[in-house]
Amino acid sequence: MVIFKGGGNEVALQLSNHTYGNTESTVELIEYGDFQCPACLRYYPSVKQVKEKYKDQILFKFRNFPLTQLHQNTIPAHRAAEAASNQGKFWEMHNMLYDNQKVWSQSQSPGDLMKEYAQALDLDLTKFDEDRASLAVMDVINADSKSGTRIGARGTPTFTLNGKMIENPEPTLEAFSVVIDQALSEQTNN
Amino acid sequence: MDINLYIKKLSTKYRYLVATILIAFLGVVLFGSYFGYLYSTTNGYLRHPAIDHYHFRTQMEVDGVAVDFAGSDFQEEYDHNSCSADLDGDPIDFHDSEDQMTHIHWSGVTGGDFLKYFGWNLTGGEDGTLGTRFDQGFMSMHKVPIHGDIFPTPAENDNYYIYTGDENNYQKRDWNEFLNSDFEDFFGKKSYLNKDYGTSFNILDLLTAKTYAQGTVSDGHSTDTVNESVEEKLTRINNLLGNIVIFVQEQEPTDEQILAKFQNLQPLTDSVCGG
């Protein structure tokens, strides 16, 4: 949950909660990503490696940050991922979307492809269709996006480490390891 | 009454007050005039720019010499590790190491601005800048610099000729229309990006900066799917608005010269910017 305040108004929004790794860890790496972003696709393999290498030590989160000004098919993809999340298969859909980015991003009807992916993941298709068309799913996507804007994200991928935006490491496990190892070291010293 | 006589009659205190008011008034008039000049010499879209991302293939020849957009003068570094919807990047650039593809990143760019960005100011306003942005606040208004003065200098008696289309069907176009039209209007084709998704009012929009996920309930199922040829699909995924061929020379180019330029356009093979 995140609270937005301003002008005498206060609104509480539910952020997404796509986590991987050690939920007890105080070291948290968040990726603000756009499923249609080619740069995010470049980072995808190394981020997968990072998640596996540090799954016992850090908490990794993914938050929606679709760049609708640049990517025509990104909203259907994010809706599909959130709908899959409602059936406990966010990461499976996340991986499916990046693995097939070139196909659905160039499609005239990406929603149909999303349904094929949902079918491949054995999701309840009726519930999937209802969820991905729902305002509730769009609210989560918008909440994630606004939280990214608030911390200064202007593109994708944007990474935060322990709540602070960091300069993107090179898309390699080694580059991420330098940053994460330092954060873990600081946690130990504290 | 003579103003000097009037001033002499005032006490010293009031003289200073009148002088201060006059100076302040002059300052406001001068600043307002300068602000008005900046505002009026800036194209509307530039005052409050919006992101877009479309392309057109470009061939240009000046006095018999082709302009090489693949050269380092024109090419920009392209960050493959980030997709940005930031307005602080270049509104116009070349970055695929070819002499073909113009990338437009702001909505509303005109042909005149395209030429001015690389050194030909044919539409007026200050040299060296496309205009002034006012979208970041009154105290943060700032000029949008051009890329550089890198187009070759035309000969004194040169004329400007512009054509759109392709090798199978091209048309001569009006040069002034090119200078003054938004590229989408000039090509008669809209970019498919930067569309208003029409969300309903949300109080959050008053509290936070505009975000990028202003989507609707669309689930991405299109009822407008059409059978596409390979060329049509590549045109769509590249958000290609068209092709332009420009000749700057004294005599009107021959059909053979024009055709040669259109035939030099490289076929599309994939999304030029990825994604």
Side-chain angles (χ1 to χ4, degrees), chain A residues 4 6 13 37-39 42 65-70 79 102 106 108-112 138 142 146 149 154-156, chain B residues 80-85 193 203-205 207-208 211-213 216-222 226 228 236-237 270 274-275:
Chain A
F4 288 90
L13 285 181
C37 163
R42 279 170 62 88
F65 202 76
L67 300 177
T68 54
Q69 299 97 322
L70 301 178
R79 284 183 168 277
K102 192 161 181 177
Q106 297 180 358
Q108 291 184 79
S109 190
D112 293 343
M138 203 58 230
N142 278 328
K146 286 185 186 292
T149 301
R154 287 293 178 268
T156 55
Chain B
H80 292 275
N81 290 340
S82 175
C83 286
S84 176
L193 293 174
I203 197 168
L204 288 175
D205 293 328
L207 304 178
T208 60
T211 67
Y212 304 103
T216 67
V217 297
S218 166
D219 63 357
H221 174 73
S222 171
V226 295
E228 293 180 304
R236 175 175 60 79
I237 66 177
D270 204 345

Side-chain angles (χ1 to χ4, degrees), chain B residues 25-26 34 67 119 211 215 230 266-268:
Chain B
F25 177 73
L26 276 171
Y34 180 62
V67 175
T211 67
V230 171
Q266 293 173 0
L268 299 171

Side-chain angles (χ1 to χ4, degrees), chain B residues 9 34 42 54 63 71 80 85 94 101 108 115 148-149 158 217 252 254 271:
Chain B
K9 285 180 180 287
Y34 180 62
T42 297
Y54 62 81
D63 295 315
H80 292 275
F94 296 89
M101 198 68 82
L115 296 176
D149 189 6
D158 277 355
V217 297
E252 186 158 353
T254 64
S271 175

